[in-house]
Each structure stands twice: as C-alpha cells, then as structure tokens.
Amino acid sequence: METSQSISLAQNLYCAEQLQRSEARAGELAGYSLGQLMSLAGRSVFEELERIVSVGASIAICCGEGNNGGDGYIVARLAHQAGYKVSLYALNAKAELKQTSHEPAVQARRACRELGLEERPLTDCTANDYDLIVDAVFGIGLSRPVEGALAEWVRALNKSRVPVLAIDVPTGINADSGCIMGEAIVAQVTVTMIAYKRGLFTGASPGHVGRIVLADLGAGKYFERLEQPAWRRVTENPYSWLGDRVAHSHKGTHGHVLIVGAGPGMPGAAILAMVAALRAGAGKVSVACHPSNVGIIASQQPEAMVHGVEAPEQLNHLLNAATSLVVGPGLGRDEWGYKIYQACMAVNTCKVIDADGLYWLAQDPVHSSQLILTPHPGEAARLLKCNTRDIEANRFEHALSLHNQYHAQIVLKGAGSLISSTRGNWLIDRGSPAMASGGMGDCLAGLIGALVAQGLAPAQALTAGVYWHAVAGEVAGSKAPRGTLASDLMPIIRKLVNGWIPE
Ligand SMILES: NC(=O)C1=CN([C@@H]2O[C@H](COP(=O)(O)OP(=O)(O)OC[C@H]3O[C@@H](n4cnc5c(N)ncnc54)[C@H](O)[C@@H]3O)[C@@H](O)[C@H]2O)[C@@H](O)CC1
Ligand SMILES: Nc1ncnc2c1ncn2[C@@H]1O[C@H](COP(=O)(O)OP(=O)(O)O)[C@@H](O)[C@H]1O
Ligand SMILES: [K+]
C-alpha cells in the first residue's frame, strides 16, 4: 500500500487499548519503568503549564483516582516547588489512590501532603478563583459516563472563561471515538502522552481538546514499532499527487467531468458541483439535468456544457464521453431521478456518489472500488441501515463498515472527516464550523470528480479532495465564519490545486 504516492508526512493514530497494551514495553525499550514514564509525563505537562501562566499564578489541579490523577499530583508538586499558588482537588479526597496506580503517583501525592497542599473535594473547585485549571481527572481509563455532581462541576467549569490544561485526554472525552461520555471538559491545551489517540481528532473532540501537544516521553518511537496504527492523520498537502501541468497539455488531457443531478426545481447543488469541478481544473465539465433546469444552470458558468435529459437513453453519449461522474447533486427521489441514477450505474466510469445518489444506492447496494461515496453521518446511517446517533457514537468503525460493505472509497464527512479506502484509513481534521452550511458537500463532490478526471486514482482523489475542501473552508471562514458559503470556497480551491499553501 505504501507507494511513492502515499502521504509521507502523516501521523499515526492509536486506540486506548493499544496504549494500555504496549506503553510499558515501549517505556522499557526506552529505558524507563512505568513509574519513570509517569514522572516524565508530569514534567511534560508542567513545562506546558509554564508556557501558559507565569510563576505566581493561581492554579487548581484536579485529580482523579487513577494514573491520570497521578500525573496531576506530579504536576502539583513541580508547580508548587516552582512558586505557583497551587490548590489541589481530588475526586475522592479521603480515599487512597487506586491499587493500580504507579508508585510516583503515590509518592507525589504524599509529597504534596508534606508540602502542606491540602486536598479538597473536586466539586468545591470554583474555576473563577484560578488562572488555570489542570484537568487530571480521567484520561484513557474513562470507562463510563461522567454523571451527577461531577457532570455538574464540568458544566460549571466549561461556563467559566478560565483556561484548562488537560492531561492526556480532556475528562469525559472517549479517546477512541471522540464522543462525549456524559459531560466533557473543554480544554485550551491537551498534552497527550506517548502517541496520538485517534479520538482526539474527530466527533466532539475538535470542540474540546484545544491545541494538542504530543509528549512522547522518549518512548513514542518504540511504541510505534510495537503497535500498528489503523488510522493516520493527513498532515501534508497532497499537491505532489497532481503536480504542475505539462506545457503541451490541452483540455482533453485534464479529463471530462459529467455532473448528473438537478431534478425538477433543484438546480443549485449541481451548479455548485459544476463550478467546483471547473475551478479544480477539469479540462471539460458537462451537466446532465432535468430539461427544466438547463437555462438556469447554463447561465451560471458559460464554460460548462449543460444538457437536458428527459429519458435515460439521452444520457448515453454523455456517459461515454465522461472521464468521471458526479452522481446525485439535486438528483431527486422521484422516478426521473431513479432512472437517471440507474443509467449512470450501468457504466464502469469512476463515480463520485453524493446526496440523492446515496439515497438510491442505499436502496440497492452496489460494490465497486470505482465508487467514491461521500456521505455525511445522516447519509451514512441510511447506507448502513442504522441511525445517525449510531454513526456518531463510533465514526471510525462505521467508516470501516462502509468501506467493507460497499468495497468503495469512503469519506464519512463532518469535523474530523474519516476516509476508509483501498489506500488505507485516513483522518483529515482540517476544516472549520464555517463549513456547516448547505452546499458544502456539493462543492466537495465536484472537486473530487475533477481530481479523478485529472488522473488521480479514486482513493487519492478522495483524500486530496477532502483535504483541499477542508483547507479552503478554513481559509474562507477564517475572518467571518458565520455566513461562509460554498461559493466562497471556489477561488480558494483554484489556488490550492495550483500548489498554494496557506500560512
Ligand atoms: N501507564 C503509563 O505508563 C502511563 C500512564 N499515564 C496516565 O495514566 C492515564 C491512564 O490511567 P488509568 O488507566 O489509571 O485511567 P484514568 O486515570 O484515566 O482513570 C481510570 C479510573 O477512573 C475510574 N473511572 C473511569 N470512568 C469514570 C467515571 N465516569 N466516573 C468515575 N470514575 C471513573 C476508573 O474506575 C479508574 O479507577 C493516562 O491517561 C495518562 O494520563 C501517563 O502517566 C503516562 C504513563
Ligand atoms: N464543523 C465542521 N468542521 C469541519 N468540517 C465541517 C464542519 N461542518 C461541516 N463540515 C464539512 O462541510 C461539508 C458538509 O457537507 P454536507 O453535509 O454534505 O453538506 P451539503 O449536503 O449541505 O452540501 C463536509 O465536507 C463536512 O466535512
Ligand atoms: K484528563
């Protein structure tokens, strides 16, 4: 799978279980006991703390009963010794640490007591009394929802404007899925230990983790030798896949995208896909739509060729001429839409299927690596015959299921888009909430279609398309996220497919 065209600069992502299984061995290979790893973890967090607040600042360190809390006690001792005003809060101030806790945690807690740092119950911690809160309540050991008084405390903490430094994973975030379990802390910075946990980058996490800092404790490289990452995070611009245009190229060199959609009264989605395909560099773009929409679509962009098709037979010559198809934008769920969809599915040309195309696919599943499916969670639920909540509860597993069931190239869209493809499983955590507006998906479908037309393999086109679409959304929405439109992405997509890298 690793070819010269694979993404070289990507980060490996892991599950909590992999950390639990191999962190001790990785530490051993690096020359550290688990206890020493914990001391290093505490020190890394303390170093980040020093970057956030100056000596003398008031800090509340909130500790659970496991090893995440253990890291917290080490931070508390270091911060106290360095001259910070430290207040300690414990989930269970009277109880001893769990028996599974490492010795340095026990020692650090004892040292804190000897230094006169009295532990108070966590729910007594009022965030506004402090300059910084250190969240050492739960890390990868979170095993059930945060409930009751603790959940109330988390809600109050989130309402305050006090910055939070989370250790390993913000309390309440599931490190594997990125879901909130009950209630979750919103952190400004998360210092995560040894390796990146996959759940930090998708689901609810983008709103909770803040800036992520990896503290690999010297054991990261050994850990990566012991454990295979099922997912990798794209961190490199994939422009080299497309490369510069050859000087003697002509429009025929850059492929012909056919957008199939725009049923009666629904021209907008096809227009967006069409413009995105043109701006992403397709040599030619045609639209096959219901005859009633020809005038309005043709008036949007004179460079596109717009064809009204009443019956599927009229599509044949267009299908034969296309290098890639985008099937579904505004296609509709009536008989016309179904017949047009069926005609598209009868040809082997690589197809991006989105929107109503996915609706029809869910009725009658097809398996092919020449299909690129771009569902949002609602569409994914229909394809997998479950509900949207099931999808969001475990985005990773459902992206894999879609790939396995349809043998297709899949992106499960949303904050932290997941790609499961014949070129592996990739996470793209670019993009922004500015993109939460109608039409963004149509723009993505057209962009991917244009990349296929220009010669990228389906899985590459999908990965590059999702990446550039998300970056374009970030750029378009950076100054004024509300009111950002899919149309605003078009000129930025044009720059990105020409190698532009935003600062
Ligand atoms: N093992 C190691 O080598 C290292 C571990 N480290 C730290 O250790 C953490 C993992 O430690 P643990 O496995 O002890 O797990 P945690 O400290 O994350 O929490 C587990 C404890 O919390 C309880 N718990 C879980 N969910 C709860 C809920 N909703 N309400 C109430 N109690 C709940 C569990 O019963 C268990 O006692 C990592 O996240 C990291 O911060 C770091 O020190 C690096 C080294
Ligand atoms: N909060 C967000 N963060 C990152 N990307 C987002 C966010 N909200 C939406 N997007 C992206 O915008 C696009 C929306 O697509 P979709 O839901 O199909 O829109 P539509 O059907 O209205 O065109 C997806 O690519 C999605 O990943
Ligand atoms: K934590």
Side-chain angles (χ1 to χ4, degrees):
M1 197 177 69
E2 295 296 310
T3 68
S4 59
Q5 289 181 317
S6 71
I7 298 168
S8 55
L9 242 169
Q11 282 165 353
N12 295 333
L13 304 176
Y14 297 92
C15 294
E17 187 193 21
Q18 294 179 292
L19 269 298
Q20 282 151 352
R21 183 167 54 225
S22 295
E23 65 191 354
R25 177 74 185 131
E28 208 177 290
L29 290 169
Y32 302 123
S33 66
L34 272 174
Q36 285 168 316
L37 276 184
M38 181 175 264
S39 301
L40 290 169
R43 180 157 291 283
S44 302
V45 176
F46 173 64
E47 284 167 4
E48 193 56 43
L49 180 153
E50 284 182 298
R51 287 184 203 112
I52 304 172
V53 280
S54 313
V55 170
S58 291
I59 297 162
I61 302 188
C62 303
C63 300
E65 297 172 273
N67 286 315
N68 198 253
D71 294 346
Y73 289 108
I74 292 170
V75 179
R77 183 176 54 189
L78 290 169
H80 177 81
Q81 286 165 345
Y84 290 91
K85 290 191 206 99
V86 174
S87 299
L88 255 185
Y89 293 92
L91 192 59
N92 197 344
K94 298 223 170 67
E96 290 308 311
L97 289 176
K98 295 267 169 188
Q99 285 187 343
T100 46
S101 299
H102 305 316
E103 186 52 28
V106 179
Q107 278 175 19
R109 193 183 195 199
R110 199 178 303 133
C112 286
R113 283 177 183 162
E114 285 163 13
L115 290 166
L117 292 173
E118 185 206 344
E119 276 177 53
R120 282 172 281 169
L122 182 58
T123 46
D124 286 359
C125 171
T126 313
N128 288 322
D129 295 342
Y130 299 97
D131 301 311
L132 178 75
I133 310 291
V134 175
D135 161 22
V137 185
F138 303 125
I140 58 173
L142 181 74
S143 53
R144 53 190 189 276
V146 172
E147 285 170 340
L150 182 57
E152 240 168 74
W153 175 75
V154 171
R155 277 193 290 275
L157 171 60
N158 288 345
K159 266 197 201 140
S160 78
R161 292 180 168 266
V162 181
V164 176
L165 169 56
I167 302 184
D168 208 20
V169 181
T171 287
I173 289 290
N174 182 309
D176 286 345
S177 66
C179 288
I180 296 173
M181 291 178 69
E183 205 68 55
I185 287 181
V186 175
Q188 272 61 44
V189 182
T190 298
V191 178
T192 203
M193 306 304 163
I194 300 179
Y196 289 107
K197 286 95 201 164
R198 68 183 199 183
L200 292 176
F201 300 95
T202 193
S205 278
H208 285 259
V209 295
R211 181 167 54 86
I212 297 174
V213 178
L214 175 68
D216 91 331
L217 313 182
K221 67 176 182 217
Y222 299 103
F223 178 81
E224 300 211 345
R225 283 181 208 163
L226 295 168
E227 291 287 344
Q228 285 292 321
W231 291 83
R232 303 180 79 204
R233 175 173 170 242
V234 177
T235 53
E236 186 186 49
N237 189 312
Y239 179 68
S240 63
W241 290 352
L242 208 51
D244 295 344
R245 280 196 166 174
V246 176
H248 60 271
S249 69
H250 53 85
K251 66 182 178 209
T253 320
H254 305 301
H256 189 164
V257 180
L258 175 64
I259 316 274
V260 185
M266 297 187 290
I271 293 169
L272 289 164
M274 166 186 92
V275 177
L278 284 164
R279 290 302 183 188
K284 290 186 268 181
V285 176
S286 293
V287 178
C289 63
H290 190 268
S292 59
N293 286 322
V294 171
I296 180 155
I297 297 178
S299 68
Q300 298 298 312
Q301 197 75 52
E303 294 83 352
M305 296 163 280
V306 187
H307 307 265
V309 286
E310 190 80 60
E313 307 78 70
Q314 295 168 287
L315 258 181
N316 289 343
H317 71 287
L318 299 172
L319 291 171
N320 290 337
T323 326
S324 69
L325 305 183
V326 177
V327 182
L331 182 65
R333 299 178 184 182
D334 60 6
E335 206 184 329
W336 178 85
Y338 180 56
K339 286 194 173 143
I340 296 293
Y341 166 82
Q342 276 189 315
C344 293
M345 295 310 275
V347 296
N348 288 328
T349 314
C350 177
K351 298 174 215 38
V352 182
I353 305 200
D354 189 40
D356 290 334
L358 294 173
Y359 171 84
W360 291 120
L361 180 67
Q363 316 293 314
D364 188 9
V366 170
H367 310 105
S368 165
S369 62
Q370 290 299 304
L371 293 182
I372 300 173
L373 311 184
T374 56
H376 57 55
E379 290 160 343
R382 180 173 285 115
L383 289 168
L384 290 174
K385 310 212 181 321
C386 59
N387 63 47
T388 310
R389 213 180 309 143
D390 298 331
I391 299 287
E392 288 301 77
N394 201 333
R395 290 169 55 79
F396 292 93
E397 299 316 323
H398 287 104
L400 286 178
S401 299
L402 282 167
H403 177 59
N404 292 335
Q405 285 193 28
Y406 288 85
H407 305 172
Q409 320 301 335
I410 305 293
V411 58
L412 176 57
K413 295 185 293 193
S417 286
L418 302 180
I419 292 172
S420 184
S421 74
T422 45
R423 279 175 183 264
N425 301 318
W426 302 94
L427 181 148
I428 293 176
D429 65 328
R430 303 297 299 260
S432 91
M435 300 173 78
S437 66
M440 287 290 171
D442 308 312
C443 167
L444 174 66
L447 164 57
I448 297 168
L451 298 177
V452 174
Q454 288 171 86
L456 296 197
Q460 277 183 316
L462 175 60
T463 308
V466 172
Y467 184 86
W468 284 327
H469 178 252
V471 173
E474 272 174 24
V475 174
S478 61
K479 295 217 171 75
R482 281 198 184 88
T484 302
L485 301 182
S487 306
D488 301 334
L489 272 59
M490 306 300 177
I492 304 163
I493 286 172
R494 181 182 175 190
K495 292 210 267 179
L496 291 166
V497 295
N498 284 289
W500 178 66
I501 297 181
E503 282 165 25

